[in-house]
Amino acid sequence: MNKAEILIIDDEPQIRKLLEIALESNDYKVLQASSGKEGLVQAATHPPELIILDLGLPDKSGHEILKALRTWYNKSILILSVQNNETDIVAALDAGATDYLTKPFRTAELLARIRAAIRRNQLPDDSPQIQSGSLQIDLIARTVKKNQMLVKLTSTEFNLLALFAKNEGRVLTHQFILKEIWGHAYYSETQYLRVFVGTLRKKIEDNPNQPAHIITESGVGYRFS
Amino acid sequence: MLFDILPVLFSAVLSALTWNYFFIPPRFTFHIDKAQDVLMFLLYFVIALVNAVLSFKIRKAESKARDKEEKEKTIKLYNTLLNTLSHELRTPIATIIGAIDTLQISTNKLSPLQQSELLNEMDKASVRLNRQVENLLNMSRLESGFLKIKRDWCDGNELIYAVIQKQEQVFQTRFRFEPNEKLPLFKLDSGLIEQVLQNLFHNAIQYTPHDAPIEIVIKAENLNCIITVRDHGSGFPTSELESVFEKFYRLPHSKAGGSGLGLSIVKGFVEAHEGEVLLENNPDGGAIFTLIIPAETSFISNLKNE
C-alpha cells in the first residue's frame, strides 16, 4: 500500500520534528514547509493527502494560506492553534478547515484525527448509506438503525444526524449547523442546537452523558465519529 | 501646595468668623467693638490656623505611611509570586530535564520498568506544567481587565460531565454526579465555567483523602445557575474561609504542589459573570463550594420538536 503523504506547514522546527517522527513511525510520508509561502508551493507541486497547518505563521497568516489552499485543494486540512482561541478556530473552520488541534496536544489524539481526516478523503461523495459504529443511516429511506434496531427520530433530528454523518471526521461550527438545518435566520439560536443534540444523543448514544458519536467541541461546535 | 493649603486657610477663617459671630459682643453680628476683642479674634484665628495646618500635616503623613504599607504589601505579594512560581514551574521542568538526562546517559543500565517509570514522570510533570501555565494565563487575563465573557447557551449537565472526564482516569470514579433532568439551558461563558470547575475539581482531588467521594449538584434557582461541589476532606479552618480566594494564598502547612492561583481564578471568573462563590464547612466534614451564577435560562419545553 502507498503511504499517505502529509504536508506540515509550521514555522517551529521543534513541532515539525516531533510531527515528523510521530507520523513517519506510523507509516505516513512527511513533507515539510517552514513558511506559508513555501507551503503553498509544495502543496501545489505535490498535492498531499492531508495538510497540517499552523495558524500562527510569521510570513502570511494561517488564515490567508487556508483561503488560498481552499481555492483548489479539496482534501482535509488540519489546523494547529493555541488554546483559548475559539474565535480564531471557528473562523478557520468556517473558511474550510476540516478539523483542529490546540497545542499542546497528545500524539494519540493527533493520530486519531489524522486517520479520521484521511478516511474522510476516501469516502464516496454521495453514498446513500452511512455506517458508523453500531449506527446505520439510510439517507434515502430516512431511517436510522442502532444495533439493527430501528430508532425513531423526528424530521429535524434526522436532518441533524444526517448532516453530522455526512461530515464524519470534520468539526462543524454551531453557526454552520444552524444555517444548514434551520436556515440563515436561526444563525445565532444555539439553544435549538443544544436541545436537539441532547434529544438526539438520548436516542443514538449508548451513554448520552459520555457520547461516543456526537462529541462537543467546547465553544466551537460538534464533531461526529 | 497652594490648593492643599487653601481649604485649611478657609476653614480657619470660617471658624474665627463663627466664633466672632456668636461670642464676641455685640453678639450675632460680625462687628467687634473693643480692641481686646480684636486681639481675641486674631488669637482665635491663629489657633484655628495652627490646628488646621497640623491636622493637614498629620493626614498627609498618614497617607504616606499607607502608601508605604501598600507598596510593602505589593513587594511581599511579588516575592510570594516569584517564590511560588519558581517552585511550581521549576519542579516539573527539573523532573523533565532530569528524566531525559537519565534516559540519555544510562539507557543501557535502566530496566524497561524504570524507563517507563521515567517516561511516566515526564508525562505527569508536563501535564502539571501545562496546568500552571494555563492558570497563569488565566490570571493575567483577569488582571489585564480585558477579560470579556462570551455567553452562549450551554447544557450544564454536559459541561460537568466533560470536566469530570478531563480528570485523570483513576480519580474519575470519585465523582458523584446525577444529571439534573429538569435543568434548563443557561447562557454562560462555557469556556470560563469549565476552567472554574476544572480548578474546583482539581483542588478537591488534591486535598482530600484518596477514596473520599466528591459530590456535584447543579440546579436552576431564581435565574441563577447554582453548582455545588462538596468534598469529604478536612474542610478549611474557620479563620481561613475568607482568605482562600486571595491570589497566591495557600493554607498554612499545605502540602507541596499548587500555586495558590486556582481559587482566585474561580472567584474571578464567577465574578466576571456577576456571580459569587460561597465557601462553607459541612458540619459532617469537608468543604462545600457553591457557585451562584446569574444566567438567562431557556426551558426545553418551549421548543417544538418536529
Side-chain angles (χ1 to χ4, degrees):
Chain A
M1 191 189 128
N2 276 338
K3 287 182 179 179
E5 285 175 333
I6 298 176
L7 170 62
I8 303 164
I9 309 177
D10 195 317
D11 60 310
E12 288 288 345
Q14 285 199 316
I15 298 281
R16 286 204 308 274
K17 191 69 185 167
L18 172 77
L19 290 175
E20 183 191 346
I21 294 172
L23 297 180
E24 282 185 347
S25 61
N26 278 278
D27 283 333
Y28 294 107
K29 184 161 186 258
V30 176
L31 308 163
Q32 300 186 30
S34 58
S35 71
K37 222 164 123 188
E38 196 191 327
L40 281 177
V41 174
Q42 284 223 33
T45 46
H46 197 98
E49 196 65 23
L50 173 87
I51 296 176
I52 298 179
L53 172 65
D54 181 39
L55 277 188
L57 292 169
D59 58 339
K60 284 182 173 187
S61 91
H63 293 280
E64 279 176 63
I65 305 295
L66 181 64
K67 225 165 109 188
L69 282 172
R70 272 303 180 229
T71 56
W72 61 274
Y73 182 81
N74 54 16
K75 291 184 172 171
S76 298
I77 300 177
L78 179 68
I79 293 294
L80 294 184
S81 171
V82 286
Q83 275 174 328
N84 293 327
N85 209 348
E86 286 90 359
T87 330
D88 231 24
I89 293 166
V90 167
L93 291 168
D94 282 337
T98 315
D99 198 350
Y100 75 97
L101 276 175
T102 54
K103 294 176 189 171
F105 48 82
R106 306 307 302 232
T107 306
E109 190 64 37
L110 170 77
L111 291 172
R113 301 293 178 85
I114 289 176
R115 275 194 300 275
I118 289 181
R119 194 165 55 235
R120 201 184 139 62
N121 290 336
Q122 292 153 353
L123 285 180
D125 262 350
D126 20 54
S127 152
Q129 297 271 349
I130 299 171
Q131 174 88 38
S132 171
S134 58
L135 285 182
Q136 234 180 326
I137 304 160
D138 188 324
L139 294 176
I140 293 172
R142 291 179 65 85
T143 55
V144 177
K145 281 183 186 165
K146 185 185 171 196
N147 299 322
Q148 316 297 334
M149 299 277 287
L150 213 57
V151 183
K152 245 186 116 176
L153 297 183
T154 66
S155 176
T156 309
E157 284 165 3
F158 183 85
N159 291 341
L160 190 57
L161 179 61
L163 179 69
F164 279 136
K166 278 188 268 184
N167 290 287
E168 187 170 353
R170 183 179 160 198
V171 176
L172 303 180
T173 62
H174 297 139
Q175 276 71 23
F176 175 82
I177 304 171
L178 283 162
K179 273 193 252 174
E180 289 289 312
I181 304 290
W182 284 276
H184 276 275
Y186 291 83
Y187 181 78
S188 59
E189 303 287 333
T190 43
Q191 77 261 43
Y192 280 62
L193 198 50
R194 297 284 176 211
V195 170
F196 280 92
V197 165
T199 58
L200 193 53
R201 275 178 178 156
K202 286 201 178 96
K203 294 182 181 180
I204 63 160
E205 298 281 0
D206 289 333
N207 179 358
N209 296 319
Q210 292 177 30
H213 289 296
I214 306 175
I215 316 289
T216 300
E217 291 292 330
S218 184
V220 175
Y222 294 95
R223 92 173 49 245
F224 186 82
S225 68
Chain B
M1 185 61 200
L2 182 66
F3 285 103
D4 285 342
I5 208 75
L6 268 182
V8 174
L9 261 175
F10 177 73
S11 71
V13 170
L14 195 70
S15 43
L17 283 176
T18 315
W19 195 73
N20 169 12
Y21 187 79
F22 286 108
F23 299 108
I24 298 181
R27 287 162 78 180
F28 307 115
T29 69
F30 289 111
H31 285 289
I32 303 175
D33 284 347
K34 294 183 201 154
Q36 71 226 54
D37 282 341
V38 173
L39 201 65
M40 259 315 228
F41 173 75
L42 281 179
L43 201 63
Y44 187 82
F45 173 72
V46 170
I47 292 170
L49 187 65
V50 168
N51 189 9
V53 167
L54 278 181
S55 59
F56 170 74
K57 282 210 161 152
I58 289 171
R59 224 165 283 150
K60 211 168 167 189
E62 267 176 359
S63 107
K64 215 171 172 180
R66 217 170 319 131
D67 280 355
K68 201 179 160 200
E69 206 177 305
E70 200 69 21
K71 210 170 171 185
E72 271 166 8
K73 220 171 145 187
T74 315
I75 291 172
K76 209 174 144 202
L77 191 67
Y78 185 71
N79 282 335
T80 325
L81 168 114
L82 281 186
N83 285 338
T84 327
L85 275 193
S86 59
H87 178 262
E88 272 312 299
L89 298 177
R90 285 202 174 123
T91 307
I93 293 174
T95 310
I96 295 169
I97 292 179
I100 289 171
D101 282 350
T102 313
L103 283 170
Q104 278 178 337
I105 298 166
S106 354
T107 322
N108 303 328
K109 297 178 201 154
L110 295 170
S111 71
L113 176 69
Q114 284 172 318
Q115 290 189 23
S116 93
E117 273 177 342
L118 282 178
L119 288 171
N120 195 24
E121 286 309 316
M122 283 161 68
D123 187 349
K124 278 199 278 190
S126 352
V127 170
R128 178 170 166 194
L129 193 58
N130 190 38
R131 188 176 52 242
Q132 299 303 355
V133 171
E134 184 88 358
N135 270 344
L136 276 172
L137 291 175
N138 281 333
M139 201 65 216
S140 60
R141 277 168 87 193
L142 270 171
E143 298 268 287
S144 71
F146 288 118
L147 180 73
K148 273 220 176 79
I149 70 167
K150 281 179 287 185
R151 286 183 188 258
D152 198 359
W153 293 106
C154 89
D155 177 337
N157 291 322
E158 185 188 330
L159 193 69
I160 291 173
Y161 270 113
V163 182
I164 293 176
Q165 271 161 44
K166 278 189 187 163
Q167 309 306 310
E168 262 183 78
Q169 197 102 40
V170 283
F171 299 127
Q172 287 184 15
T173 49
R174 290 178 57 190
F175 288 91
R176 306 272 178 278
F177 174 60
E178 282 296 318
N180 179 346
E181 296 297 340
K182 288 184 192 143
L183 197 70
L185 296 173
F186 293 110
K187 218 169 189 181
L188 301 168
D189 187 319
S190 57
L192 294 191
I193 300 301
E194 239 183 83
Q195 295 285 337
V196 165
L197 295 176
Q198 170 62 38
N199 276 311
L200 283 181
F201 292 2
H202 180 74
N203 259 28
I205 289 171
Q206 284 278 301
Y207 299 107
T208 62
H210 270 296
D211 48 355
I214 300 156
E215 292 145 9
I216 300 146
V217 175
I218 181 165
K219 61 182 177 182
E221 215 173 76
N222 306 326
L223 294 176
N224 289 318
C225 168
I226 299 185
I227 304 176
T228 52
V229 179
R230 187 183 149 182
D231 65 45
H232 291 264
S234 44
F236 290 87
T238 322
S239 55
E240 309 293 323
L241 283 175
E242 292 283 318
S243 330
V244 296
F245 294 106
E246 277 169 25
K247 199 170 23 169
F248 302 115
Y249 178 84
R250 306 212 52 220
L251 279 183
H253 317 299
S254 196
K255 70 170 178 178
S259 58
L261 283 178
L263 287 180
S264 56
I265 289 168
V266 166
K267 186 165 180 261
F269 281 4
V270 170
E271 283 176 353
H273 284 79
E274 272 143 33
E276 55 176 334
V277 187
L278 307 178
L279 168 61
E280 58 193 321
N281 282 321
N282 183 5
D284 305 335
I288 307 175
F289 285 93
T290 308
L291 312 177
I292 304 172
I293 311 163
E296 211 181 310
T297 53
S298 158
F299 282 89
I300 292 166
S301 54
N302 297 345
L303 282 182
K304 239 186 338 181
N305 185 354
E306 301 176 323

